[in-house]
């Protein structure tokens, strides 16, 4: 998780491309101390490009943190970037 939790999207993209589907999904499902996934963490940091990258590689939009919040709850509450909400809604429809 630490390797993906970076501000360098190119490194994260390369790591995700190299990993098998099983390993990739395992990385995307890891939680921090607040049960936030990488998707939650990138939403909190207002990094729309990173959110999109994680969604492309199968990050779950249904992961709940210890406060009972889905990624879309954080995106709506924080309200930093409407593009993040758009991405979450778009990937939910798939």
């Amino acid at each position: 998780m630490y390797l993906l939790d970076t501000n360098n999207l190119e490194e994260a993209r390369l790591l995700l491309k190299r990993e098998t589907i099983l390993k990739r999904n395992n990385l995307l499902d890891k939680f921090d101390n607040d049960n936030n996934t990488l998707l939650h963490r990138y939403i909190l940091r207002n990094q729309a490009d990173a959110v999109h990258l994680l969604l492309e590689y199968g990050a779950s939009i249904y992961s709940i943190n210890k406060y009972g919040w889905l990624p879309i709850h954080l995106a709506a509450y924080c309200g930093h970037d409407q593009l993040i909400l758009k991405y979450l809604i778009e990937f939910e429809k798939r």
Side-chain angles (χ1 to χ4, degrees):
M1 181 171 172
Y2 175 76
L3 292 174
L4 286 176
D5 195 11
T6 177
N7 289 330
N8 187 335
L9 284 184
E10 287 310 309
E11 283 183 21
R13 187 180 317 278
L14 288 172
L15 178 63
L16 288 169
K17 278 184 178 181
R18 280 195 322 237
E19 297 301 328
T20 64
I21 291 174
L22 181 62
K23 285 183 182 177
R24 190 182 311 143
N25 289 342
N26 191 32
L27 288 171
L28 297 176
D29 292 336
K30 294 289 183 195
F31 296 104
D32 66 11
N33 293 339
D34 290 325
N35 281 358
N36 287 318
T37 62
L38 284 168
L39 185 59
H40 286 97
R41 293 168 64 88
Y42 279 128
I43 289 168
L44 288 169
R45 287 192 225 150
N46 194 36
Q47 293 180 299
D49 290 342
V51 167
H52 192 266
L53 175 68
L54 292 177
L55 291 170
E56 283 180 343
Y57 280 95
S60 174
I61 60 171
Y62 300 109
S63 296
I64 299 173
N65 68 13
K66 80 175 188 181
Y67 305 105
W69 287 40
L70 293 166
I72 199 161
H73 294 142
L74 286 177
Y77 181 77
C78 295
H80 300 297
D81 190 338
Q82 297 300 309
L83 189 56
I84 290 174
L85 276 171
K86 179 183 171 201
Y87 289 153
L88 291 167
I89 291 167
E90 176 185 308
F91 277 86
E92 193 271 333
K93 291 179 182 178
R94 290 185 180 183

